[in-house]
Short mmCIF file of all heavy atoms in Angstrom, two decimals:
data_model
loop_
_atom_site.label_atom_id
_atom_site.label_comp_id
_atom_site.label_asym_id
_atom_site.label_seq_id
_atom_site.Cartn_x
_atom_site.Cartn_y
_atom_site.Cartn_z
N VAL A 57 78.82 125.22 93.69
CA VAL A 57 79.49 125.23 94.96
C VAL A 57 80.94 125.59 94.85
O VAL A 57 81.61 125.09 93.97
CB VAL A 57 79.35 123.82 95.64
CG1 VAL A 57 80.03 123.86 96.97
CG2 VAL A 57 77.95 123.42 95.77
N LYS A 58 81.40 126.52 95.64
CA LYS A 58 82.80 126.90 95.64
C LYS A 58 83.53 126.33 96.81
O LYS A 58 82.97 126.22 97.94
CB LYS A 58 82.90 128.44 95.66
CG LYS A 58 82.36 129.10 94.41
CD LYS A 58 82.67 130.61 94.29
CE LYS A 58 82.06 131.18 93.08
NZ LYS A 58 82.58 130.60 91.81
N GLY A 59 84.75 125.83 96.53
CA GLY A 59 85.51 125.19 97.56
C GLY A 59 86.89 125.89 97.78
O GLY A 59 87.09 126.99 97.41
N ILE A 60 87.81 125.18 98.45
CA ILE A 60 89.12 125.65 98.73
C ILE A 60 89.94 125.61 97.51
O ILE A 60 89.67 124.85 96.56
CB ILE A 60 89.70 124.94 99.89
CG1 ILE A 60 89.93 123.48 99.61
CG2 ILE A 60 88.90 125.11 101.17
CD1 ILE A 60 90.76 122.69 100.64
N ASN A 61 91.03 126.34 97.53
CA ASN A 61 92.09 126.25 96.44
C ASN A 61 91.56 126.67 95.03
O ASN A 61 92.11 126.19 94.06
CB ASN A 61 92.78 124.87 96.42
CG ASN A 61 93.37 124.49 97.73
OD1 ASN A 61 93.68 125.39 98.57
ND2 ASN A 61 93.60 123.20 97.99
N GLY A 62 90.46 127.41 94.98
CA GLY A 62 89.98 127.87 93.69
C GLY A 62 89.11 126.85 93.00
O GLY A 62 88.77 127.12 91.80
N PHE A 63 88.75 125.77 93.55
CA PHE A 63 87.91 124.74 92.92
C PHE A 63 86.43 125.07 93.13
O PHE A 63 86.02 125.70 94.10
CB PHE A 63 88.17 123.33 93.53
CG PHE A 63 89.48 122.75 92.98
CD1 PHE A 63 90.70 122.86 93.69
CD2 PHE A 63 89.45 121.96 91.82
CE1 PHE A 63 91.76 122.33 93.24
CE2 PHE A 63 90.62 121.39 91.37
CZ PHE A 63 91.86 121.61 92.07
N GLU A 64 85.65 124.66 92.16
CA GLU A 64 84.20 124.74 92.23
C GLU A 64 83.59 123.55 91.55
O GLU A 64 84.27 122.82 90.70
CB GLU A 64 83.66 125.96 91.59
CG GLU A 64 83.95 126.09 90.11
CD GLU A 64 83.39 127.36 89.52
OE1 GLU A 64 83.43 128.46 90.20
OE2 GLU A 64 83.01 127.35 88.34
N ALA A 65 82.32 123.23 91.90
CA ALA A 65 81.63 122.14 91.30
C ALA A 65 80.16 122.44 91.13
O ALA A 65 79.59 123.30 91.80
CB ALA A 65 81.66 120.85 92.19
N GLU A 66 79.52 121.85 90.12
CA GLU A 66 78.19 122.10 89.83
C GLU A 66 77.37 120.85 89.94
O GLU A 66 77.69 119.81 89.25
CB GLU A 66 78.00 122.75 88.45
CG GLU A 66 76.58 123.21 88.17
CD GLU A 66 76.50 124.25 87.05
OE1 GLU A 66 77.47 124.37 86.31
OE2 GLU A 66 75.43 124.91 87.04
N PHE A 67 76.26 120.90 90.71
CA PHE A 67 75.36 119.73 90.88
C PHE A 67 74.37 119.94 89.73
O PHE A 67 73.65 120.88 89.53
CB PHE A 67 74.68 119.95 92.25
CG PHE A 67 73.55 119.03 92.42
CD1 PHE A 67 73.60 117.60 92.21
CD2 PHE A 67 72.29 119.48 92.77
CE1 PHE A 67 72.59 116.79 92.41
CE2 PHE A 67 71.22 118.57 93.07
CZ PHE A 67 71.42 117.28 92.88
N ASN A 68 74.21 118.85 88.99
CA ASN A 68 73.23 118.72 87.96
C ASN A 68 72.34 117.50 88.20
O ASN A 68 72.69 116.32 87.97
CB ASN A 68 73.85 118.61 86.54
CG ASN A 68 72.90 118.74 85.38
OD1 ASN A 68 71.82 118.10 85.46
ND2 ASN A 68 73.29 119.43 84.38
N LYS A 69 71.09 117.82 88.74
CA LYS A 69 70.31 116.62 89.18
C LYS A 69 69.79 115.86 88.00
O LYS A 69 69.76 114.58 88.11
CB LYS A 69 69.08 117.26 89.95
CG LYS A 69 68.14 116.21 90.57
CD LYS A 69 67.08 116.85 91.41
CE LYS A 69 66.27 115.77 92.02
NZ LYS A 69 65.19 116.35 92.91
N SER A 70 69.39 116.49 86.85
CA SER A 70 68.84 115.77 85.76
C SER A 70 69.96 114.83 85.15
O SER A 70 69.64 113.78 84.63
CB SER A 70 68.35 116.76 84.70
OG SER A 70 69.43 117.56 84.20
N GLN A 71 71.17 115.19 85.17
CA GLN A 71 72.29 114.35 84.62
C GLN A 71 72.97 113.56 85.73
O GLN A 71 73.98 112.87 85.40
CB GLN A 71 73.29 115.23 83.89
CG GLN A 71 72.70 115.95 82.63
CD GLN A 71 73.78 116.62 81.84
OE1 GLN A 71 74.91 116.65 82.15
NE2 GLN A 71 73.30 117.35 80.81
N THR A 72 72.52 113.65 86.95
CA THR A 72 73.13 113.07 88.14
C THR A 72 74.60 113.14 88.10
O THR A 72 75.43 112.18 88.15
CB THR A 72 72.74 111.57 88.21
OG1 THR A 72 73.12 110.84 87.06
CG2 THR A 72 71.27 111.38 88.41
N SER A 73 75.10 114.46 87.94
CA SER A 73 76.47 114.70 87.83
C SER A 73 76.88 115.72 88.92
O SER A 73 76.13 116.55 89.34
CB SER A 73 76.88 115.13 86.47
OG SER A 73 76.42 116.45 86.23
N PHE A 74 78.22 115.76 89.18
CA PHE A 74 78.75 116.70 90.16
C PHE A 74 80.26 116.85 89.74
O PHE A 74 81.22 116.50 90.45
CB PHE A 74 78.65 116.17 91.53
CG PHE A 74 78.96 117.21 92.62
CD1 PHE A 74 78.31 118.44 92.65
CD2 PHE A 74 79.90 116.94 93.62
CE1 PHE A 74 78.64 119.38 93.67
CE2 PHE A 74 80.21 117.88 94.66
CZ PHE A 74 79.54 119.11 94.63
N HIS A 75 80.45 117.58 88.56
CA HIS A 75 81.80 117.73 88.05
C HIS A 75 82.53 118.80 88.73
O HIS A 75 82.05 119.87 89.05
CB HIS A 75 81.71 118.10 86.56
CG HIS A 75 80.99 116.97 85.70
ND1 HIS A 75 80.98 115.66 86.11
CD2 HIS A 75 80.37 117.06 84.53
CE1 HIS A 75 80.32 114.98 85.14
NE2 HIS A 75 79.95 115.81 84.18
N LEU A 76 83.89 118.58 88.91
CA LEU A 76 84.77 119.50 89.57
C LEU A 76 85.54 120.29 88.55
O LEU A 76 86.06 119.69 87.59
CB LEU A 76 85.70 118.75 90.54
CG LEU A 76 86.72 119.52 91.32
CD1 LEU A 76 86.05 120.30 92.45
CD2 LEU A 76 87.73 118.61 91.88
N ARG A 77 85.68 121.66 88.79
CA ARG A 77 86.37 122.47 87.80
C ARG A 77 87.31 123.40 88.52
O ARG A 77 87.14 123.81 89.68
CB ARG A 77 85.38 123.31 87.00
CG ARG A 77 84.39 122.47 86.22
CD ARG A 77 83.54 123.36 85.36
NE ARG A 77 82.44 122.59 84.70
CZ ARG A 77 81.22 122.51 85.11
NH1 ARG A 77 80.87 123.25 86.15
NH2 ARG A 77 80.33 121.77 84.42
N LYS A 78 88.41 123.82 87.73
CA LYS A 78 89.27 124.88 88.17
C LYS A 78 89.74 125.61 86.91
O LYS A 78 90.20 124.96 85.96
CB LYS A 78 90.45 124.36 88.99
CG LYS A 78 91.28 125.50 89.54
CD LYS A 78 92.31 124.95 90.57
CE LYS A 78 93.13 126.16 91.18
NZ LYS A 78 94.13 125.75 92.19
N PRO A 79 89.62 126.91 86.88
CA PRO A 79 89.95 127.64 85.66
C PRO A 79 91.45 127.68 85.31
O PRO A 79 91.76 127.82 84.11
CB PRO A 79 89.36 129.04 85.85
CG PRO A 79 89.29 129.11 87.37
CD PRO A 79 89.06 127.80 87.92
N SER A 80 92.31 127.53 86.35
CA SER A 80 93.74 127.67 86.08
C SER A 80 94.44 126.85 87.14
O SER A 80 94.46 127.22 88.28
CB SER A 80 94.14 129.08 86.06
OG SER A 80 95.57 129.18 85.91
N VAL A 81 95.04 125.71 86.72
CA VAL A 81 95.62 124.81 87.76
C VAL A 81 97.05 125.16 87.94
O VAL A 81 97.81 125.77 87.14
CB VAL A 81 95.56 123.32 87.35
CG1 VAL A 81 94.09 122.91 87.31
CG2 VAL A 81 96.26 123.10 85.99
N HIS A 82 97.61 124.82 89.17
CA HIS A 82 99.00 124.94 89.58
C HIS A 82 99.62 123.63 89.73
O HIS A 82 98.94 122.60 89.97
CB HIS A 82 99.08 125.70 90.88
CG HIS A 82 98.46 127.05 90.82
ND1 HIS A 82 97.74 127.68 91.85
CD2 HIS A 82 98.48 128.02 89.84
CE1 HIS A 82 97.36 128.85 91.51
NE2 HIS A 82 97.79 129.05 90.28
N ILE A 83 100.98 123.59 89.71
CA ILE A 83 101.72 122.34 89.97
C ILE A 83 101.23 121.72 91.36
O ILE A 83 101.17 120.49 91.43
CB ILE A 83 103.15 122.63 90.02
CG1 ILE A 83 103.67 123.18 88.70
CG2 ILE A 83 103.97 121.36 90.45
CD1 ILE A 83 103.85 122.18 87.66
N SER A 84 100.98 122.57 92.29
CA SER A 84 100.52 122.07 93.57
C SER A 84 99.25 121.38 93.64
O SER A 84 98.85 120.78 94.64
CB SER A 84 100.55 123.21 94.65
OG SER A 84 99.67 124.23 94.18
N ASP A 85 98.49 121.45 92.54
CA ASP A 85 97.17 120.78 92.51
C ASP A 85 97.33 119.31 92.14
O ASP A 85 96.34 118.57 92.09
CB ASP A 85 96.26 121.46 91.48
CG ASP A 85 95.83 122.80 91.92
OD1 ASP A 85 95.59 123.06 93.12
OD2 ASP A 85 95.71 123.75 91.06
N THR A 86 98.52 118.93 91.82
CA THR A 86 98.81 117.46 91.53
C THR A 86 98.48 116.66 92.71
O THR A 86 99.05 116.78 93.78
CB THR A 86 100.29 117.27 91.08
OG1 THR A 86 100.56 117.93 89.95
CG2 THR A 86 100.59 115.78 90.98
N ALA A 87 97.45 115.77 92.56
CA ALA A 87 96.93 114.98 93.63
C ALA A 87 95.90 114.02 93.10
O ALA A 87 95.61 114.02 91.89
CB ALA A 87 96.30 115.87 94.70
N GLU A 88 95.32 113.21 93.99
CA GLU A 88 94.24 112.38 93.57
C GLU A 88 92.92 112.93 94.14
O GLU A 88 92.90 113.33 95.33
CB GLU A 88 94.38 110.91 94.05
CG GLU A 88 93.40 109.98 93.52
CD GLU A 88 93.82 108.48 93.50
OE1 GLU A 88 94.79 108.20 94.31
OE2 GLU A 88 93.32 107.69 92.74
N TYR A 89 91.91 112.93 93.37
CA TYR A 89 90.61 113.60 93.72
C TYR A 89 89.50 112.54 93.73
O TYR A 89 89.39 111.75 92.81
CB TYR A 89 90.26 114.72 92.71
CG TYR A 89 91.25 115.88 92.83
CD1 TYR A 89 92.44 115.76 92.14
CD2 TYR A 89 90.90 117.07 93.47
CE1 TYR A 89 93.39 116.82 92.32
CE2 TYR A 89 91.79 118.04 93.61
CZ TYR A 89 93.04 117.98 92.96
OH TYR A 89 93.99 118.95 93.12
N PHE A 90 88.77 112.58 94.84
CA PHE A 90 87.69 111.60 95.06
C PHE A 90 86.36 112.24 95.14
O PHE A 90 86.18 113.23 95.89
CB PHE A 90 87.92 110.74 96.34
CG PHE A 90 89.12 109.82 96.27
CD1 PHE A 90 90.37 110.25 96.64
CD2 PHE A 90 88.97 108.51 95.78
CE1 PHE A 90 91.49 109.38 96.56
CE2 PHE A 90 90.04 107.67 95.70
CZ PHE A 90 91.28 108.12 96.07
#
Side-chain angles (χ1 to χ4, degrees):
Chain A
V57 180
K58 293 189 184 298
I60 62 171
N61 301 340
F63 284 93
E64 63 180 32
E66 186 158 17
F67 170 54
N68 188 318
K69 187 175 182 179
S70 63
Q71 297 186 2
T72 60
S73 68
F74 191 54
H75 300 333
L76 181 70
R77 302 186 184 99
K78 186 169 182 179
S80 175
V81 294
H82 300 142
I83 297 287
S84 59
D85 292 323
T86 294
E88 190 158 19
Y89 293 79
F90 290 91

